Amino acid sequence: MTSRSATPVPPTTIVAAEGWTPISWQSKPIKQDVDYPDQEHLQRVLRKIERLPPMVAPGEIQRLRQQLADVAQGKAFLLQGGDCAELFDYCSQGPIEAKLKVLLQMSLVLIWGARMPVVRIARMAGQYAKPRSKPTEMHEGKEILSYRGDNVNGYDPDDRTPDPERLVGAYFHSAATLNYVRAILAEGFADLHHPSNWNLHHVKSAALRQEYQTIVDRLTDALDFMKTIGADPNAGGAPSQTAPSTLNTVDIFASHEGLLLEYEQALTRLMTDPLNPAQSKYYNVGTHFLWIGDRTRQLDGAHVEYFRGLENPIGVKVGPSMKPDELVSLLNVLDADKRPGKITLITRYGVDQVDKYLPDHIRAVQSSGHCVVWACDPMHGNTKQAVSGVKTRHLIDITKELSQCIRIHKRLGSHLGGVHFELTGDSVTECVGGSMELRDAELLDRYETHCDPRLNYEQALDMAFLIAKYQEKQRGYSGVMSL
Ligand code: PEP
Ligand code: CO
């Protein structure tokens, strides 16, 4: 075979954080590690994943980065949501469509309320691994390993031994989920611009139903008007909101907690920077956005070391145990160049603690010069035990933590850029309250989560309506109620 003289490709400059490599985390202490009984098997699986193609492209990751920079600067709002623990079983047409639908409907309400673009990130297509407070639990008098998520072991008590093949399962279930999301968005699934068809029968209070109906009517009116004049709802928003310019389709990004570092490492690739083709950078190509959980964010730990080298935008969960100066040190490590929107701080204190901790965190970040996205996760600090013994969350606590967050940011000259919810598109019964007035006694009717309790479809829409009403009030529209 004769060789053709190839055009020489100019070498690209590798741009990486100082002293960082995709394996540098391995020399640091690690929390929430999984102990695989067969290490050789694990290595074989990881070699396979390393060869599998990227699930997302660097250009998409950069687009999200730019959109999050808009959020950090108050020009867009972030909606992040999905299951606490995604199951391989959810990789199916119905559950994917239901989750997309609720995220899209919520975002439409939020766009209407805030009059700004909404950046949508799903906790989906990879949200399998779960940190646990205890490595073992008691089952029928026997101590067994805790369920660590579908990519580690099974929920069935007889299937708790970590199995490396589940990592390959995680890759293929993520890829299949993303593939279907891309396919239906391309087909116009996001054309949900008929809010007049939305069913509000679940709203028990007549006054609240009337209020939601008013929002829906005004939203319908606005969309009709824009359609008539051929306008794009994204037009006039943030300049870098590069969603296709029609009423019918949108961007949805994928995200998960970056917990299993062996898996994340296998999906970390040196790729040409689409914004600067002379440079190559390290991207995690298994998702668009990863976050560090509250249990694995130690400054000198393996997770922070891994995350500091990524080009992807990243999140950090911030709970009551975070010290203000520790937060700044973390930002200095994770965002050395102080790029707007590189970091999303996802605060999760609990309704009784938000007043105590958030103000000092905001002040510390303000004086550090980092331009972050502040997102409120009003779920994880508000988990309670129901009468039946299951874990639940009360909508009243969720609403209060969120409203306090908004007020505190405003008072300190900051702004809440987004929200982070655990939710599902189905009518499960895991959280108490909301406009459907779900009672504690009804929780076992459809209690399906394998981890934390999620907002159901109706409760998720409640939250969007509440935030939209608040945003509308901020803009000076009178006649709306309190949040
Ligand atoms: C989660 O988001 O599911 C989670 C475990 O959160 P946190 O790290 O904030 O506890
Ligand atoms: Co959770």
Side-chain angles (χ1 to χ4, degrees):
M1 212 170 117
T2 51
S3 65
R4 274 184 292 144
S5 59
T7 320
V9 181
T12 58
T13 312
I14 297 174
V15 178
E18 217 185 310
W20 184 91
T21 70
I23 62 166
S24 53
W25 63 269
Q26 293 180 6
S27 61
K28 305 276 179 177
I30 188 161
K31 289 267 195 314
Q32 299 282 334
D33 202 16
V34 176
D35 202 1
Y36 289 96
D38 186 345
Q39 281 296 318
E40 256 175 49
H41 190 180
L42 173 67
Q43 292 310 319
R44 264 199 319 277
V45 160
L46 294 172
R47 296 297 86 78
K48 179 178 174 65
I49 296 171
E50 277 168 12
R51 293 193 56 253
L52 290 168
M55 278 184 262
V56 303
E60 297 170 336
I61 294 171
Q62 292 294 0
R63 189 158 76 234
L64 175 60
R65 277 189 58 107
Q66 288 167 352
Q67 293 187 16
L68 288 172
D70 290 337
V71 176
Q73 289 159 350
K75 294 187 278 185
F77 192 77
L78 167 67
L79 169 65
Q80 186 172 14
D83 294 291
C84 176
E86 196 179 4
L87 306 184
F88 289 170
D89 257 4
Y90 299 164
C91 182
S92 187
Q93 182 177 351
I96 295 173
E97 288 181 358
K99 212 160 306 145
L100 271 196
K101 179 177 156 195
V102 70
L103 286 173
L104 290 168
Q105 289 189 346
M106 288 174 83
S107 66
L108 199 56
V109 173
L110 293 171
I111 291 170
W112 177 83
R115 294 293 196 273
M116 55 169 81
V118 168
V119 179
R120 304 162 195 86
I121 307 183
R123 281 175 68 119
M124 199 178 186
Q127 176 48 24
Y128 302 117
K130 293 311 298 173
R132 303 313 303 251
S133 39
K134 295 196 208 95
T136 60
E137 64 190 21
M138 293 308 287
H139 176 72
E140 295 176 351
K142 234 177 81 193
E143 189 176 18
I144 58 169
L145 291 173
S146 300
Y147 171 63
R148 299 287 303 271
D150 271 10
N151 56 359
V152 175
N153 56 6
Y155 192 62
D156 182 333
D158 293 328
D159 188 19
R160 292 290 169 87
T161 306
D163 176 2
E165 289 303 324
R166 285 178 171 272
L167 296 174
V168 186
Y171 177 93
F172 285 110
H173 285 91
S174 300
T177 303
L178 261 183
N179 182 57
Y180 189 54
V181 170
R182 291 184 195 281
I184 56 178
L185 287 181
E187 285 265 288
F189 182 81
D191 188 8
L192 288 167
H193 296 72
H194 306 291
S196 50
N197 297 341
W198 295 1
N199 186 342
L200 297 176
H201 294 325
H202 66 276
V203 184
K204 287 211 171 135
S205 141
L208 195 57
R209 189 161 55 237
Q210 182 54 47
E211 227 174 329
Y212 284 1
Q213 192 59 54
T214 308
I215 293 182
V216 167
D217 291 346
R218 296 179 59 213
L219 188 54
T220 310
D221 235 30
L223 287 165
D224 277 354
F225 177 72
M226 288 202 287
K227 232 173 207 162
T228 311
I229 63 167
D232 177 358
N234 292 323
S240 54
Q241 177 84 5
T242 50
S245 60
T246 70
L247 279 169
N248 306 326
T249 190
V250 295
D251 277 339
I252 295 209
F253 298 98
S255 71
H256 63 255
E257 176 173 348
L259 189 65
L260 299 188
L261 295 183
E262 287 96 347
Y263 178 81
E264 303 303 345
Q265 179 194 314
L267 285 163
T268 306
R269 312 278 166 86
L270 194 56
M271 310 276 287
T272 304
D273 180 356
L275 303 177
N276 185 353
Q279 295 185 344
S280 300
K281 292 177 177 162
Y282 284 100
Y283 292 85
N284 182 310
V285 292
T287 193
H288 300 105
F289 178 99
L290 290 120
W291 73 87
I292 313 182
D294 199 39
R295 292 170 185 78
T296 48
R297 53 163 180 71
Q298 299 73 25
L299 208 44
D300 57 354
H303 288 81
V304 169
E305 174 60 23
Y306 171 73
F307 271 76
R308 84 179 172 91
L310 293 182
E311 182 63 12
N312 307 55
I314 58 180
V316 181
K317 290 289 198 97
V318 177
S321 63
M322 177 79 90
K323 303 275 170 291
D325 56 344
E326 186 191 358
L327 179 54
V328 174
S329 305
L330 255 182
L331 290 176
N332 290 341
V333 171
L334 294 171
D335 176 32
D337 299 332
K338 302 194 172 173
R339 297 157 87 181
K342 161 77 187 180
I343 310 281
T344 297
L345 294 177
I346 308 166
T347 64
R348 31 87 78 225
Y349 307 102
V351 62
D352 299 328
Q353 311 242 54
V354 54
D355 265 339
K356 185 163 169 208
Y357 295 104
L358 179 59
D360 286 345
H361 287 161
I362 294 175
R363 286 189 201 100
V365 175
Q366 279 171 332
S367 53
S368 74
H370 289 274
C371 180
V372 304
V373 170
W374 286 99
C376 171
D377 163 1
M379 312 294 291
H380 284 89
N382 293 311
T383 313
K384 291 180 172 161
Q385 203 173 35
V387 179
S388 56
V390 295
K391 282 200 277 185
T392 191
R393 289 160 173 161
H394 291 242
L395 270 275
I396 186 85
D397 295 336
I398 295 170
T399 307
K400 276 191 189 155
E401 176 162 354
L402 186 54
S403 60
Q404 269 167 262
C405 240
I406 295 172
R407 281 197 207 103
I408 294 169
H409 276 288
K410 195 162 179 229
R411 194 178 78 225
L412 296 178
S414 171
H415 70 276
L416 184 72
V419 284
H420 183 116
F421 292 118
E422 286 187 340
L423 55 80
T424 168
D426 303 317
S427 290
V428 299
T429 55
E430 298 169 6
C431 293
V432 172
S435 62
M436 67 193 311
E437 297 171 20
L438 194 100
R439 289 174 299 123
D440 194 302
E442 292 165 312
L443 287 176
L444 296 184
D445 292 355
R446 266 195 78 178
Y447 193 92
E448 296 177 5
T449 181
H450 282 191
C451 203
D452 290 337
R454 304 158 294 178
L455 301 175
N456 63 25
Y457 171 73
E458 292 83 4
Q459 292 168 329
L461 271 188
D462 282 344
M463 295 314 301
F465 279 123
L466 277 166
I467 300 165
K469 279 191 292 187
Y470 186 83
Q471 289 167 327
E472 204 187 22
K473 192 169 147 198
Q474 300 255 81
R475 289 188 292 104
Y477 171 75
S478 60
V480 283
M481 47 158 281
S482 56
L483 177 72

